[in-house]
């Protein structure tokens, strides 16, 4: 195992360093050029909260030989800001919580194509079809339930079962969360606008309980405020690691294969076309896919690593390639604005 880890670390170092080697030989690299690379400062717009990824930033800086100025915010707000700023954006890198926001920025022509060597580090399913963004970690939508109020056999395994009158006023969700909105976008892609509206209206009429974020949804289930919660898997696993699953009131449930509620989404990153530090930004993206960074996502955020070399080890938790979400290309989740408009129209935003 030690030998394997050392080998992986070496490969990761090579992957991060590869763009530098590709730029020219030692004979064509001057001392001034080397100094400018070391001094590079990049601006990252991060839709991932500081509490989740703040401790990772120094590792990325070390691996990529850059300084990173991180500006945190919600993924949807930062995407809208980039769209408004256009080619005047000060951002070099957009680190987003979901594929939809990355797709929206890419479809506006504001993300640059990534190097093939970078894209080759992850499976095709977890990168943009046009090569403008790449996944950095994966996550699944799940349902958590209150074990003191609901038997495991009763927990819905489809989103259509969630709108059964049995669950009226007993389901928590986070309407402004990017992952919830990505799920709704997947619903629109899968069922069309009319089908998505029909489900959302039924969900609304079943009186779901709104919370600010996934943490609040999970806490509400833990405290018995609601019986079911719609969240991303890693919130439950992080709490289980901190407190012990045996001490938790909630339990996690994966939805039926192919159901829209079982969407396997990603966090990911892309480089702004307007950035004047494309090479340095590419090194940061590669650093995000290094073994060190991927191990961070696995250990600290309880997300799925997207490089094939690493796997999860919690008992009962499926591997990333075992998850069976809906048959949707993540690049199709770009219509964030239309999703938000629909949610507003039905009164769920």
């Amino acid at each position: 195992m030690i030998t394997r880890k050392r080998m992986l670390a070496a490969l990761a170092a090579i992957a991060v360093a590869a763009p530098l080697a590709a730029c020219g030989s030692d004979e064509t690299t001057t001392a001034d050029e080397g100094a400018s690379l070391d001094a590079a400062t990049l601006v990252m717009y991060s839709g991932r909260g500081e509490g989740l990824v703040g401790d990772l930033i120094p590792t990325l800086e070390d691996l990529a030989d850059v300084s990173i100025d991180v500006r945190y915010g919600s993924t949807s707000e930062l995407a809208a800001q980039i769209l408004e700023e256009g080619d005047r954006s000060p951002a070099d890198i957009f680190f987003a919580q979901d594929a939809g926001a990355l797709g929206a920025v890419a479809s506006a022509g504001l993300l640059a194509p990534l190097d093939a060597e970078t894209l080759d580090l992850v499976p095709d399913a977890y990168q943009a079809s046009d090569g403008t963004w790449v996944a950095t970690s994966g996550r699944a939508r799940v349902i958590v339930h209150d074990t003191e109020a609901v038997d495991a056999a009763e927990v819905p395994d489809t989103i259509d079962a969630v709108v059964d009158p049995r669950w009226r006023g007993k389901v928590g969700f986070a309407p402004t969360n990017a992952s919830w909105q990505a799920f709704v976008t997947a619903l629109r892609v899968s069922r069309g606008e009319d089908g998505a509206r029909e489900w959302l209206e039924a969900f609304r009429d079943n009186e779901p309980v709104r919370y600010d974020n996934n943490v609040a949804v999970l806490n509400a289930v833990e405290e018995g405020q609601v019986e079911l919660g719609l969240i991303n898997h890693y919130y439950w696993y992080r709490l289980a690691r901190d407190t012990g699953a045996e001490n938790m009131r909630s339990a996690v449930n994966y939805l039926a294969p192919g159901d829209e509620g079982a969407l396997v989404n990603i966090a990911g990153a892309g480089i702004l076309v307007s950035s004047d530090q494309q090479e340095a930004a590419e090194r940061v993206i590669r650093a995000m896919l290094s073994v060190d960074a991927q191990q961070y996502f696995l250990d600290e955020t309880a997300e799925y690593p997207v490089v094939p070399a690493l796997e999860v080890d919690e008992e009962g938790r499926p591997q990333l390639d075992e998850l069976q979400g809906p048959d949707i290309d993540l690049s199709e989740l770009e219509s964030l604005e239309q999703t938000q408009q629909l949610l507003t129209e039905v009164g769920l935003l």
Side-chain angles (χ1 to χ4, degrees), residues 13-26 28-29 33-34 37-38 63-65 115 279-280 282-283 286:
I14 292 170
V16 173
L20 291 177
C23 292
S25 67
D26 290 341
T28 60
T29 301
E33 287 172 341
L37 287 175
D38 290 341
L63 288 172
D65 290 323
D115 288 348
E279 181 186 337
E282 189 91 31
R283 295 202 309 273
R286 282 176 174 264

Side-chain angles (χ1 to χ4, degrees), residues 98-100 102-103 106 111-138 264-270 282 285-286 289 305-308 320 328-334:
D98 75 285
L102 287 164
L111 291 184
L114 296 171
D115 288 348
E117 292 84 356
T118 302
L119 296 170
D120 286 346
L121 295 173
V122 302
D124 290 346
Y126 300 115
Q127 59 183 260
S129 56
D130 62 0
T132 53
W133 57 260
V134 65
T136 54
S137 59
V264 181
N265 204 345
I266 55 95
E282 189 91 31
I285 303 295
R286 282 176 174 264
L289 300 173
V306 292
V307 297
L320 180 61
I328 292 174
D329 185 339
L330 293 178
S331 295
E332 297 182 75
L333 302 183
E334 66 183 30

Side-chain angles (χ1 to χ4, degrees), residues 107-242:
S107 67
L110 298 177
L111 291 184
L114 296 171
D115 288 348
E117 292 84 356
T118 302
L119 296 170
D120 286 346
L121 295 173
V122 302
D124 290 346
Y126 300 115
Q127 59 183 260
S129 56
D130 62 0
T132 53
W133 57 260
V134 65
T136 54
S137 59
R139 62 186 180 275
R141 295 291 293 174
V142 297
I143 294 178
V144 290
H145 77 278
D146 178 359
T147 60
E148 296 184 14
V150 182
D151 291 335
E154 296 181 80
V155 179
D157 66 353
T158 67
I159 58 169
D160 290 325
V162 169
V163 298
D164 187 283
R166 156 76 172 85
W167 308 111
R168 185 178 302 276
K170 299 176 181 179
V171 180
F173 79 118
T176 61
N177 179 259
S179 294
W180 159 262
Q181 294 182 13
F183 150 69
V184 175
T185 305
L187 191 63
R188 291 176 45 242
V189 170
S190 176
R191 301 189 181 186
E193 297 294 330
D194 291 342
R197 181 184 296 273
E198 181 180 357
W199 186 87
L200 288 168
E201 289 175 344
F203 182 69
R204 175 202 63 199
D205 294 345
N206 223 26
E207 301 174 7
V209 183
R210 300 168 185 242
Y211 294 92
D212 290 339
N213 51 52
N214 282 328
V215 173
V217 173
L218 178 56
N219 288 341
V221 178
E222 283 287 311
E223 295 168 5
Q225 297 176 21
V226 290
E227 294 183 1
L228 304 179
L230 308 180
I231 66 171
N232 293 328
H233 81 277
Y234 62 88
Y235 290 95
W236 188 90
Y237 284 99
R238 288 179 69 199
L239 184 59
R241 288 180 181 181
D242 291 341

Side-chain angles (χ1 to χ4, degrees), residues 36-43 65-69 90 92 276-277 280:
S36 67
L37 287 175
D38 290 341
T41 298
L42 303 180
V43 174
D65 290 323
V66 298
S67 176
I68 302 176
D69 176 13
D92 297 290
D276 59 2
Q277 302 191 83

